[in-house]
Amino acid sequence: QVRVVESGGGLVQAGGSLRLSCVASGSIGSIYAMAWYRRAPGKQRELVAGLRSGGETNYADSVKGRFTISRDNARNTVYLQMNSLKPEDTAVYYCNLDVQPLLGASSLYWGQGTQVTVSS
C-alpha cells in the first residue's frame, strides 16, 4: 500500500514564499511522474506543475517563473517552491504521484491536500 502526505501549506502575505513537500511511503518500487495540482474555491482543479522521471518539467502559465517543482528520489519526495505568491494562488494544493508499487501495476496516488492562503 502506498501513502502520500503533503505538508508545508499555511498563511502568507502577498510576495512571500512557501515550500510544499509531498512524501510517498509504503511499498514503492519507483515513482514515475510527479505533479502538483490546486483547487481554488469555486474553481476546478488545475495542474500547477509536473515533473517526469526524465526530468522534464511543465508549469501552468500563471505560475511560470515563480514556482519550481523538484524531487528527491532517495526520499520519495517532491517539492513545490512557491515564490512571489499572489492572492490568486490561494487554494488547496494536492500532490499526485504515478507510483509503481513493489507488487502490482502502477497507479496514480493523491495526497489529502494542504491549504495555501495568500493575503493581500
Side-chain angles (χ1 to χ4, degrees), residues 25-107:
S25 60
S27 302
I28 298 172
S30 59
I31 300 176
Y32 301 133
M34 297 174 159
W36 287 95
Y37 289 76
R38 67 186 180 188
R39 175 174 284 160
K43 295 186 177 181
Q44 290 188 331
R45 184 175 60 196
E46 64 170 344
L47 175 66
V48 176
L51 174 60
R52 298 182 182 85
S53 57
E56 302 88 352
T57 58
N58 60 288
Y59 295 93
D61 288 342
S62 60
V63 306
K64 283 181 181 176
R66 300 189 298 122
F67 290 10
T68 303
I69 187 170
S70 61
R71 65 191 290 171
D72 183 335
N73 290 329
R75 292 181 169 83
N76 289 328
T77 300
V78 59
Y79 303 99
L80 185 67
Q81 178 67 44
M82 306 185 295
N83 299 326
S84 302
L85 283 161
K86 305 175 181 180
E88 50 265 42
D89 294 318
T90 295
V92 178
Y93 284 70
Y94 298 90
C95 176
N96 177 257
L97 305 179
D98 184 2
V99 178
Q100 174 61 61
L102 294 175
L103 295 175
S106 64
S107 297

Side-chain angles (χ1 to χ4, degrees), residues 10-22:
L11 174 63
V12 65
Q13 288 189 330
S17 299
L18 284 173
R19 188 175 82 154
L20 306 183
S21 299
C22 170

